[in-house]
Amino acid sequence: MSRSSKQRVHVITMGCAKNVVDSEKLMAQLRGNDFELAPTIEDADVAVINTCGFIDAAKRESIDEILEQVGRKKDGGLRKVYAIGCLTERFRTTLAEEIPEVDGYFGSGASVQLVEELGGRVRQELLGERVLSTSSHIAYLKVSEGCDHPCAFCAIPLMRGRLLSRPMEEILRETEMLAARGVREVVVIAQDTTAYGLDLYGSRKLSQLVRKIADVSGIAWVRLMYTYPAQFPLDLLEVIAGHPRVCKYLDIPVQHVSEAVLRSMRRGISRRALLSLIERIRSAVPGIALRSTLIVGYPTEGSKEFNELLAFIKVVRFDRLGVFTYSREEGTTAHSLGDPVSMREKERRLAMVMETQQEISTERNEGLVGSKIQVMVDRVEGDQYVGRTEHDAPEIDNEVYLTADSALVPGQFCEATITGASEYDLYGRA
């Protein structure tokens, strides 16, 4: 299509925060080519769906979204539909056969080809630029792509390839651009954040990078997500403990604790080592909030292994916790193990884990009633303000609902007196 035929493009992002960053960079290139970024699908001529292929539920959501936009195209509401991202990286041929109405399928990292397909050209001067789709004071900062770990259940290396760290100077330039636009909180992400620098510098450089990011003028909070537990860089703890702008928060995906399951998962760490690492983190950074994710229903997880996991949660008492049911993925090592645990049983186990975590979270939150806590305001809802503490990541963790005598604005910090608590939220007065 010629450049003279300007199109209104709406980008739909499925899946994780890494996809959010990819979509934001794609939108910057589209805007730089004078395409109009349609705020809603109803305003668009072209739909671009940035798909997720992580687990079955995410794949179904992406396919449903593709089918919905293909239906809109058939009804005359759209001229073109394109799909890009992880799902199309894995299943491009199958998708093209099953849903031929899509005008083009592009793999992950193929935004250059998509821009050219739309009639534009990639503008080198815009590399690193983003059209933020998050709140204006929050931004995700992707420091690397891909993963070198051989986890048996995970298809990410099939979709994203091996570890590819970004140069530190490039990341810092992006951070400075974000700060200049009013971003106060950067959330550091990657497929494996703690591996940052291994491929590029020959050693793990996350601690040095985080310190430099936190030193950028205007940045108030730096938050770390997706820190792999095996070969965890312990020098990072000194930065978290000592730098006032680095949140006392760590997302560290454990996945399981049974020795048999960990070996089958090929996680590269033992139960004892996990416990030791958690103890060391909490000792080095008093008051740190730990978030983790778990998988239930893995093929080698029987009742004994699940009960070990449940007991571990009660002992460790994570501050925040997410749980997935096992998804059998083509091309992974675990695929050959089959899927012997029924979905009904997987969901029962998930419910038991979340019930246990709900009790822990309720107790922790109720213990904060009467205390004073620093809160970053995220948004206004009616006559209330909604924010988060440094112990809560955007979109996935607890929130604080506030009343105030004077107006507050998103990105502003305030001191809140906590007056009430529920399982996953706090209530207070600024």
Side-chain angles (χ1 to χ4, degrees):
M1 184 169 292
S2 68
R3 284 289 312 279
S4 61
S5 178
K6 297 306 179 188
Q7 302 163 85
R8 295 171 296 171
V9 184
H10 182 66
V11 179
I12 301 166
T13 304
M14 315 297 294
C16 67
K18 276 87 75 177
N19 263 13
V20 170
V21 173
D22 292 344
S23 291
E24 291 175 347
K25 292 186 175 182
L26 171 61
M27 287 190 286
Q29 287 291 334
L30 292 173
R31 188 175 63 184
N33 278 276
D34 297 328
F35 295 121
E36 181 182 341
L37 297 177
T40 68
I41 193 65
E42 289 78 15
D43 300 315
D45 303 312
V46 177
V48 175
I49 303 146
N50 191 356
T51 62
C52 179
F54 180 49
I55 57 176
D56 279 341
K59 287 185 283 189
R60 285 196 299 271
E61 287 178 6
S62 291
I63 291 170
D64 287 346
E65 188 65 47
I66 292 171
L67 291 172
E68 181 178 341
Q69 301 316 322
V70 164
R72 192 182 298 274
K73 176 187 170 185
K74 288 179 179 178
D75 293 338
L78 289 169
R79 292 167 57 191
K80 299 280 186 177
V81 176
Y82 296 96
I84 191 171
C86 291
L87 183 70
T88 53
E89 179 71 31
R90 290 185 71 193
F91 303 110
R92 189 179 328 184
T93 302
T94 302
L95 287 167
E97 292 172 354
E98 296 290 335
I99 317 177
E101 298 86 353
V102 171
D103 295 276
Y105 288 100
F106 299 84
S108 58
S111 58
V112 170
Q113 293 90 327
L114 177 55
V115 170
E116 291 173 349
E117 172 72 16
L118 287 166
R121 63 177 180 83
V122 170
R123 298 180 56 179
Q124 296 296 321
E125 70 272 19
L126 294 178
L127 293 179
E129 285 283 351
R130 294 159 58 180
V131 175
L132 291 182
S133 55
T134 54
S135 299
S136 61
H137 60 286
I138 302 167
Y140 295 106
L141 186 63
K142 185 157 64 169
V143 299
S144 65
E145 190 62 88
C147 182
D148 288 346
H149 291 289
C151 299
F153 56 84
C154 186
I156 285 175
L158 301 175
M159 298 180 286
R160 294 284 184 170
R162 301 199 64 177
L163 176 69
L164 182 62
S165 300
R166 297 174 61 198
M168 200 173 294
E169 297 78 11
E170 180 183 302
I171 295 169
L172 293 174
R173 280 197 302 271
E174 184 174 341
T175 306
E176 289 166 357
M177 284 192 291
L178 292 169
R181 294 171 57 181
V183 168
R184 307 296 312 282
E185 176 179 2
V186 291
V187 184
V188 177
I189 58 172
Q191 271 75 39
D192 174 13
T193 310
T194 43
Y196 174 77
L198 275 174
D199 58 319
L200 192 59
Y201 302 113
S203 62
R204 296 173 189 268
K205 296 292 185 182
L206 184 62
S207 59
Q208 294 94 318
L209 176 64
V210 169
R211 194 185 300 275
K212 289 177 182 293
I213 291 170
D215 284 340
V216 171
S217 178
I219 298 301
W221 277 356
V222 179
R223 186 179 305 278
L224 293 169
M225 306 292 291
Y226 308 108
T227 61
Y228 198 89
Q231 288 91 48
F232 185 93
L234 294 173
D235 60 341
L236 180 62
L237 300 180
E238 181 182 344
V239 180
I240 299 174
H243 202 298
R245 295 178 188 165
V246 179
C247 293
K248 307 300 181 284
Y249 176 101
L250 199 61
D251 169 53
I252 184 163
V254 167
Q255 311 302 11
H256 217 282
V257 295
S258 159
E259 292 288 1
V261 174
L262 286 171
R263 281 195 300 272
S264 181
M265 284 183 167
R266 302 173 70 181
R267 291 290 287 169
I269 196 168
S270 66
R271 174 195 174 96
R272 177 178 292 181
L274 278 171
L275 279 169
S276 176
L277 175 60
I278 291 168
E279 289 173 3
R280 189 154 186 179
I281 291 169
R282 285 177 165 162
S283 174
V285 192
I288 192 171
L290 290 182
R291 158 172 270 279
S292 192
T293 51
L294 305 173
I295 295 174
V296 295
Y298 184 79
T300 60
E301 182 194 71
S303 297
K304 173 179 175 291
E305 290 77 16
F306 174 70
N307 287 333
E308 285 181 47
L309 182 63
L310 208 58
F312 178 84
I313 296 165
K314 294 175 181 177
V315 169
V316 172
R317 295 172 62 83
F318 289 108
D319 299 88
R320 313 287 181 252
L321 187 66
V323 188
F324 295 96
T325 56
Y326 172 72
S327 176
R328 189 186 185 203
E329 297 297 320
E330 296 177 29
T332 62
T333 306
H335 188 267
S336 62
L337 300 175
D339 198 7
V341 184
S342 70
M343 181 52 70
R344 181 176 181 180
E345 176 61 17
K346 289 177 186 176
E347 290 174 347
R348 186 188 74 86
R349 294 178 187 179
L350 184 149
M352 289 179 69
V353 169
M354 291 314 299
E355 182 180 343
T356 300
Q357 181 61 28
Q358 182 175 307
E359 293 172 0
I360 294 169
S361 183
T362 300
E363 185 178 328
R364 287 191 183 282
N365 282 355
E366 288 177 346
L368 294 172
V369 174
S371 64
K372 291 184 178 181
I373 300 176
Q374 186 187 51
V375 174
M376 177 187 280
V377 177
D378 280 340
R379 64 186 186 277
V380 182
E381 285 188 2
D383 59 353
Q384 283 189 316
Y385 299 93
V386 185
R388 291 170 295 112
T389 73
E390 71 171 313
H391 291 161
D392 299 289
E395 299 181 349
I396 58 173
D397 288 336
N398 296 5
E399 293 184 314
V400 186
Y401 290 81
L402 298 172
T403 58
D405 292 329
S406 56
L408 303 173
V409 296
Q412 178 180 344
F413 285 97
C414 66
E415 186 180 70
T417 300
I418 303 304
T419 58
S422 61
E423 297 96 326
Y424 299 115
D425 293 309
L426 297 172
Y427 306 89
R429 185 166 188 81

